[in-house]
Amino acid sequence: MKRRSMRRSARSEMLAIRTVGVDRGASPQPQEPLWTDLAPSLPTSSPLEGTVQADVCVVGLGAAGLSAVIHLTSRGVNVVGIDAGPLGGTATVRTAGMWFAGLPMFHHDAIEILGRKRATALYQETRKELAALTAAGDLTQRWSGSLRLASSDAEHDDCARQLEVMRRDGLPVEAYDGDEGHGLLFPEDGAFQPVERVRSLIEAAQAAGAQLYGSTRAQQLGDRDIDSTTGEVRCRSVIVAVDGGLEHMVPALNGVVMTGRVQALAASPAAIALSDLPPPSPPPSLPPTGITPPDITPPNHAPGKIAAGDVAPGKIAAGASQPGDIPPPPGHPDGATVPPPSPPPSPPQGPSTQVPPLDPPPLPSPEPHSRRPTRSRWGRDCWQQLPDGRVVIAGGRDKDRDDEADGTATSQAVQQHLAWVLHQEFGSPATITHRWAATSGFTDNRLPTLARLGPHIIAVGGYNGFGDLLGPMLGRAAADLAMGRQSALADLIIGTP
């Protein structure tokens, strides 16, 4: 009798996740990114039907959720993963395919919000992640470093400040003065093929024995019965690894995370010499650009509250300013081309400039007809050129903030801006071949969200467009918390002393 009672007690402690199968054919098909044309289709799975049991259920099978699944299964944990879309998620394969060390804000801006010690420690964590990716030797990855190019005198001065602060804190950076422009070079960054990256994560999770179900929407977390369900997961812990739409999946995070839309385009090979480019000028149909603050968070969202006892991720001191929200001063139109300034001054090298934990790898030159991943306009636009000459450009969220929660459709204003960037950087011969969009989670303080919501539910998201690198890192941190293990990254994100 005692043993039977214990079994009933253990079963009563399990959470029930009610699910419903999603008919993807009934939904409008989103515009496909370039990456889907360059790689075979990803593995598929039928929706979950009936009841399955696991130690942990991971909701969301993008890069973050799949990394959590792999981390758990490698430690002997029984895992079930579900996603409302296909295996691999939706937004994960709709990125621009670039890895940048650090946080969604530049390092010197992060220090103003987080303090030098915490901001530098977080930057070092991203460097470790890049070092692990480099060591993996995936042939779909390229490691040529990345650039930040100044688009105005004000941004040029900001690059000089960033150079000074990063060198002081022992982070790898160089002044850059080249054909593309003037700014900074970060030697450890790289680029990758998103579809192939996701494929490797799916295959690793399946090989470890995880049960993965696509086209399976989590209707509710909890034991209350609801109608129109086709499946159920019984588990002891839940990790919600959903970036775009996280606040809808976890209402406690409403106002902490806000869903926005990110857009990109790809163009046919533009392998032309930079010296042959015509003087850049906006297309006639493009309205003049005004001075637009480099704000990357959705407007009209008041900070939300989390229920008592929940973790409020990434708190900042009252009155702390957001450096990324400060526009360039008057007289420097946003996006305007300025005369080439002199490179930022290099502060004297000393013992403090040495990188203690990691050494930057030798920096290779970009392949013929390719260019390094690049950020400009205060980080609001980014682009890269593949070895075959194709171009991928993303950004421009500040050009159209209407209906940006729609993750499947592109908007004319943003796409027009991206086409202008294409013309400026690569010249007129390139032909646009793909346009796509996806949803992403954004936060007021520009830190990703990692929150424990009650004793058995952990949520991660709000990557502010940096989910390619931060997502897998936070997925593994959430997995550690679900197993009752310590996580240094979780402590840094949450702000534990």
Side-chain angles (χ1 to χ4, degrees):
M1 291 292 293
K2 182 177 181 181
R3 187 176 305 164
R4 188 178 305 116
S5 175
M6 291 176 61
R7 283 200 298 269
R8 278 201 303 268
S9 176
R11 179 175 177 82
S12 67
E13 293 175 359
M14 300 184 78
L15 296 172
I17 303 176
R18 313 286 182 170
T19 68
V20 62
V22 178
D23 181 6
R24 308 305 301 180
S27 304
Q29 292 300 309
Q31 295 160 289
E32 291 300 320
L34 166 68
W35 317 114
T36 58
D37 288 349
L38 303 181
S41 300
L42 292 172
T44 60
S45 171
S46 300
L48 170 65
E49 295 183 358
T51 300
V52 296
Q53 295 193 8
D55 298 320
V56 180
C57 178
V58 176
V59 180
L61 294 177
L66 288 169
S67 296
V69 169
I70 295 168
H71 196 64
L72 290 163
T73 53
S74 67
R75 285 154 179 78
V77 178
N78 182 18
V79 183
V80 168
I82 62 174
D83 195 294
L87 295 185
T90 302
T92 300
V93 298
R94 307 177 71 79
T95 73
M98 292 173 256
W99 278 317
F100 300 116
L103 297 171
M105 47 197 156
F106 295 122
H107 179 62
H108 58 306
D109 295 332
I111 288 175
E112 295 188 20
I113 297 175
L114 305 175
R116 179 182 178 186
K117 180 178 179 181
R118 186 178 170 201
T120 303
L122 281 167
Y123 198 107
Q124 295 286 26
E125 290 295 319
T126 65
R127 293 187 62 209
K128 293 176 185 177
E129 183 76 2
L130 287 174
L133 291 166
T134 306
D138 189 334
L139 296 179
T140 67
Q141 301 169 358
R142 295 182 294 122
W143 302 101
S144 59
S146 75
L147 300 175
R148 178 192 177 187
L149 299 181
S151 63
S152 65
D153 286 341
E155 188 169 7
H156 173 262
D157 294 341
D158 193 65
C159 286
R161 173 61 177 159
Q162 183 178 359
L163 177 70
E164 176 187 3
V165 172
M166 289 186 67
R167 282 185 166 173
R168 180 201 68 187
D169 292 342
L171 302 175
V173 63
E174 302 173 19
Y176 180 81
D177 180 12
D179 290 332
E180 291 99 324
H182 307 268
L184 303 175
L185 186 151
F186 308 93
E188 296 177 338
D189 296 346
F192 66 103
Q193 216 287 27
V195 172
E196 293 295 352
R197 170 66 174 155
V198 171
R199 182 192 313 283
S200 67
L201 294 174
I202 294 173
E203 292 175 349
Q206 291 177 329
Q211 304 176 68
L212 306 182
Y213 299 94
S215 300
T216 301
R217 186 185 305 279
Q219 293 285 81
Q220 182 181 8
L221 308 180
D223 287 309
R224 184 168 61 87
D225 290 336
I226 59 176
D227 297 329
S228 303
T229 61
T230 57
E232 177 184 83
V233 181
R234 285 272 177 179
C235 59
R236 302 189 188 282
S237 296
V238 179
I239 296 174
V240 181
V242 176
D243 190 26
L246 178 60
E247 72 274 29
H248 306 302
M249 185 72 196
V250 183
L253 295 178
N254 187 23
V256 176
V257 180
M258 292 79 71
T259 296
R261 180 171 53 175
V262 293
Q263 298 186 49
L265 64 73
S268 60
I272 53 180
L274 291 169
S275 59
D276 294 337
L277 291 179
S281 59
S285 60
L286 185 69
T289 55
I291 299 174
T292 306
D295 174 27
I296 69 166
T297 58
N300 304 323
H301 285 283
K305 296 182 179 180
I306 302 179
D310 295 335
V311 175
K315 292 181 179 178
I316 59 175
S321 63
Q322 301 291 334
D325 291 338
I326 302 175
H332 297 287
D334 172 38
T337 302
V338 299
S342 57
S346 301
Q349 298 279 352
S352 63
T353 65
Q354 299 302 313
V355 179
L358 299 168
D359 292 323
L363 185 65
S365 298
E367 298 87 342
H369 306 312
S370 70
R371 288 167 62 182
R372 295 182 176 98
T374 299
R375 287 173 287 179
S376 188
R377 227 169 47 92
W378 305 84
R380 290 175 295 182
D381 299 330
C382 62
W383 60 83
Q384 66 161 312
Q385 189 171 24
L386 309 184
D388 64 2
R390 298 176 197 246
V391 175
V392 176
I393 301 176
R397 289 188 62 246
D398 57 307
K399 301 301 179 182
D400 183 6
R401 307 302 287 273
D402 296 332
D403 299 325
E404 68 174 359
D406 181 356
T408 64
T410 57
S411 70
Q412 182 177 0
V414 172
Q415 289 294 318
Q416 188 177 35
H417 170 74
L418 298 180
W420 180 32
V421 174
L422 174 68
H423 174 80
Q424 280 191 302
E425 297 298 327
F426 297 93
S428 300
T431 300
I432 296 173
T433 59
H434 299 75
R435 303 179 188 269
W436 67 93
T439 53
S440 182
F442 294 85
T443 61
D444 284 333
N445 62 8
R446 310 273 288 277
L447 272 181
T449 295
L450 174 62
R452 185 183 289 278
L453 306 167
H456 304 293
I457 301 176
I458 301 164
V460 292
Y463 305 123
N464 295 272
F466 269 51
D468 292 328
L469 190 66
L470 292 174
M473 297 171 62
L474 269 293
R476 292 193 297 271
D480 282 332
L481 296 183
M483 292 185 288
R485 297 162 59 101
Q486 189 72 18
S487 169
L489 178 59
D491 291 343
L492 288 169
I493 293 294
I494 296 170
T496 302

